[in-house]
Amino acid sequence: MRKIVHFVHTSLDGNIEGPNGEFDWPAMGPELSAYSFSLVERADTFLYGRPVWEMMAGYWPDVESISDDPHDLKFAPVWRSSPKIVFSRTLTEPGHGARVIGGSHLVEEVTALKAEPGKDLLLMGGASLAAELTAHGLIDEHHVVVHPVVLGGGKALFPESAERLELQLLESRTFDSRTVLLRYGH
């Protein structure tokens, strides 16, 4: 069975975006970039919630015209050619080769995706979709990269919940003498 791997960047104070939606703070050094590509290589489909999808779709299709970062230039063709699934109740035509899963049968649809043949599924970023999938036991690994910035508010990595989430630390490591990976499983 395929795994769902959640790969997300967070600030030291636990936010995935700043108080005004800022996402200009993650730094992709060479070691972190290499690690992210190792995750991409083990997956054959990218998963997104609608807010992250809108950010990605606004950046990656034409990134070569706005960035000369080596990570960006290497990832852009991979992003464009990879299958992408967007989870949304409102979006119908995502473009860029993506398809939408949106109904009220999220658990059944994701369970069916995991049962399909293929490589792992990489859920990139986000909080709401990740929290919902985690609550149903559908995420197998969380790869949380902590950046040395305090945003002072914003969107929390894990939204408030009435239930405690117990995770097992599988690995921790430092990248580029700057960021720390915390890899958790259930």
Side-chain angles (χ1 to χ4, degrees):
M1 179 169 278
R2 301 161 90 182
K3 291 182 177 181
I4 294 181
V5 176
H6 180 214
F7 182 53
V8 64
H9 300 273
T10 184
S11 65
L12 189 58
D13 56 344
N15 294 298
I16 62 168
E17 62 183 43
N20 299 307
E22 311 91 305
F23 193 70
D24 57 353
W25 45 270
M28 288 296 278
E31 293 172 352
L32 179 54
S33 177
Y35 184 78
S36 74
F37 278 104
S38 74
L39 292 178
V40 166
E41 288 171 5
R42 70 180 261 205
D44 63 8
T45 305
F46 299 149
L47 307 179
Y48 300 100
R50 186 200 41 79
V52 175
W53 169 254
E54 289 175 348
M55 181 181 67
M56 299 294 271
Y59 187 73
W60 291 110
D62 301 311
V63 73
E64 293 88 350
S65 67
I66 54 177
S67 175
D68 60 359
D69 181 270
H71 174 83
D72 291 358
L73 298 176
K74 183 177 177 183
F75 183 68
V78 174
W79 186 87
R80 287 191 289 260
S81 66
S82 295
K84 296 169 274 296
I85 298 172
V86 182
F87 292 86
S88 175
R89 293 180 185 92
T90 57
L91 189 65
T92 55
E93 297 292 328
H96 308 290
R99 70 179 173 111
V100 173
I101 291 180
S104 57
H105 300 89
L106 177 69
V107 172
E108 294 84 0
E109 291 178 281
V110 173
T111 301
L113 268 177
K114 289 180 74 168
E116 290 176 2
K119 295 166 89 176
D120 290 340
L121 304 157
L122 187 58
L123 173 59
M124 294 197 178
S128 301
L129 176 61
E132 191 167 351
L133 295 177
T134 299
H136 293 288
L138 293 168
I139 293 186
D140 300 281
E141 297 177 19
H142 295 273
H143 295 241
V144 180
V145 178
V146 181
H147 292 262
V149 61
V150 174
L151 297 174
K155 183 183 273 187
L157 172 58
F158 289 102
E160 287 188 31
S161 172
E163 299 200 21
R164 181 180 293 191
L165 176 61
E166 298 286 344
L167 299 172
Q168 177 184 2
L169 181 64
L170 302 174
E171 174 186 14
S172 64
R173 61 199 273 202
T174 304
F175 297 116
D176 307 301
S177 299
R178 178 173 171 80
T179 57
V180 175
L181 167 74
L182 301 171
R183 184 170 68 96
Y184 292 100
H186 295 273

